[in-house]
Amino acid sequence: MLIRLGLLLMVLAPPAFALEQLFVVGEARSLKDGELRYREYHHCSEDRSNCQVLYKDVEGALFARKNIDYSQSLSSPSLVVEDLREGRTQLIEGDVEEELVVDAGFDNYVRERWAELSRGETVRFPFLIAGRDSPVSMKARQDGEEDCADGDLCLAVSLDAWLLSMLVQPIQLVYDSDRRLMQYRGISNIRDAEGRSQEVRIDYEYPGDS
């Protein structure tokens, strides 16, 4: 049960990025020992309707990729996820008719609900991931950690069920004052080379802004 619940949360790691950002780099390190595990490279098309995430190991070899189509909805995109190590492909279709948050669209959803989250309100939403036929109920709220810097928005994301949320640690996200995701901490959506889940800290850079 605990492993299955963890899998529901791990696709939030990491969200996609504001479509204003054409190129973003994330560096994932183990929460346990700080060792570099992988890097991810986010590229968006000029019209911002499509983005691709490339996942590379510490030697720079590509081992997974994700293609995201935001043309119909920013928070409910369609996407294709390919694990090149296992030769597995997963598809998911967005739903513009329902208030449904799909996979990478969560990052844009945070910006849509920025005012409520900044006021300390809890935001609840149905969340759909690849491999499931129905969404799960999730919630996001401000994280009460003391080390959240002034001007940042620090969030905790968890299952929206009291008992189940006690079994899985929430994912922690840090956004800066420009509403950019700067850090992620929690279960990764990328398994290690042995197929095991891993907890990571991912720090993001925005080279195009420098």
Side-chain angles (χ1 to χ4, degrees), residues 116-175:
E116 296 104 307
L117 291 166
S118 296
R119 290 195 296 265
E121 298 177 18
T122 297
V123 171
R124 292 176 167 83
F125 56 97
F127 186 66
L128 183 63
I129 64 174
R132 284 186 59 90
D133 296 326
S134 59
V136 293
S137 297
M138 306 288 292
K139 63 181 178 182
R141 55 179 171 76
Q142 280 197 45
D143 192 350
E145 285 200 359
E146 296 180 357
D147 59 353
C148 188
D150 290 342
D152 288 350
L153 178 62
C154 299
L155 301 176
V157 184
S158 61
L159 293 164
D160 187 24
W162 180 82
L163 180 58
L164 298 182
S165 66
M166 297 296 289
L167 299 176
V168 182
Q169 289 294 318
I171 288 170
Q172 296 171 303
L173 308 173
V174 178
Y175 285 81

Side-chain angles (χ1 to χ4, degrees), residues 17-18 20-21 24 107 110-111 114-115 117-118 147-155 172-184 202-207 209-210:
F17 295 89
E20 294 79 17
Q21 307 296 336
V24 182
D107 189 52
V110 167
R111 274 176 285 277
W114 191 269
L117 291 166
S118 296
D147 59 353
C148 188
D150 290 342
D152 288 350
L153 178 62
C154 299
L155 301 176
Q172 296 171 303
L173 308 173
V174 178
Y175 285 81
D176 69 5
S177 58
D178 292 325
R179 305 188 181 189
R180 303 179 307 177
L181 179 63
M182 302 304 294
Q183 186 183 102
Y184 166 92
I202 308 176
D203 294 297
Y204 296 100
E205 295 182 355
Y206 297 78
D209 290 353
S210 58

